[in-house]
Amino acid sequence: MNLIICESGVDVARAAADRIAREIDRHPHLVLGLPTGRTSIPLYARLAAARNEGQCRFDRVVTFNLDEFVGLPPTHPGSYRAFMARHCFEPLGIPDARVHFLNGVAADLDAECASYERQLAEIGGTDLQVLGLGANGHIGFNEPADALHARTHRVRLCQETRLANVGLFDGALDRVPTEALSMGMATILEARALVLVAQSANKREAVTAMVEGLVTPRLPASFLQLHPRVDVYLDEDAAAGLSETTRLMARRRCNQA
Ligand code: GLP
């Protein structure tokens, strides 16, 4: 893992956005995997600013989102599709026709998952997968478990994860769906490169285990250790549990970059 430790969350968003914008500049037809979550909001805002300043165009990228709640139509304000329209697709000018999203109200959810995998395969897979990190170590909605799903699947959400998403439902936990559809671990790890962003002290334990712990389904993000091209952008609070050696290596890499 290539760690980039930034002073603040603002710097995390700036550095990760620069990395993504550089990639799109080089490959305008990039296939981008995208996350939701509070950490992604300043990242998308930063990319939108780059677009408004004429530094980057997003109208030719193709996007695949990681996950969606079961039971919410795309028009529901709590859906991830609506979140992405608000924070990403509209401000970045990504045309609807280039957006791919899991449909949480599909009549046959298993067929929906299989079709998503097919669409991704047909386009040749993800070039750059952007990820957030759950405080319990989840990526997408791959929750800690004894065994993980390789492919896009239906998942029951942990209470902790539902609580983390309560902001999308006016703070009402009973309105947060109990199930979701999510890309699987192999779907995510097949991306040619990955960028993970994490900030704040509530991610500290998950970050430490992801970077320094065993590779275990009890912490799905730890599987990123197996991928050769992962850039992890952290603020000081999220990085505070890492060993001195890890931090030293990260500083060296940053200085060389
Ligand atoms: C949700 C999403 C994840 C995301 C996580 C992080 O659970 N399903 O893909 O990584 O939120 O959220 P936040 O950035 O709000 O902590």
Side-chain angles (χ1 to χ4, degrees), residues 36-39 66-67 80 132-134 138 140-141 161 165 203:
T36 56
R38 281 152 299 185
T39 320
L66 281 164
D67 43 21
Y80 277 174
L133 177 68
H138 75 225
F141 269 139
T161 300
N165 280 277
K203 301 290 171 71

Side-chain angles (χ1 to χ4, degrees), residues 72-87:
L72 299 188
T75 48
H76 189 291
S79 72
Y80 277 174
R81 182 68 178 76
F83 173 99
M84 290 301 291
R86 265 194 315 277
H87 295 291

Side-chain angles (χ1 to χ4, degrees), residues 13-28:
R14 186 180 306 136
D18 286 353
R19 160 86 172 83
I20 296 164
R22 267 201 311 277
E23 201 76 25
I24 295 173
D25 212 33
R26 274 200 292 266
H27 307 288

Side-chain angles (χ1 to χ4, degrees), residues 12 18 57 65 79 87 138 151 155 161 168 186 188 195-196 203 215 217-218 223 231 239 249 252 254:
V12 167
D18 286 353
R57 285 178 54 176
N65 262 78
S79 72
H87 295 291
H138 75 225
R151 295 293 163 196
V155 60
T161 300
L168 293 171
I188 293 172
V195 163
L196 181 141
K203 301 290 171 71
V215 176
R218 287 277 143 214
F223 278 77
D231 291 331
M249 293 281 286
R252 287 242 172 88
C254 287

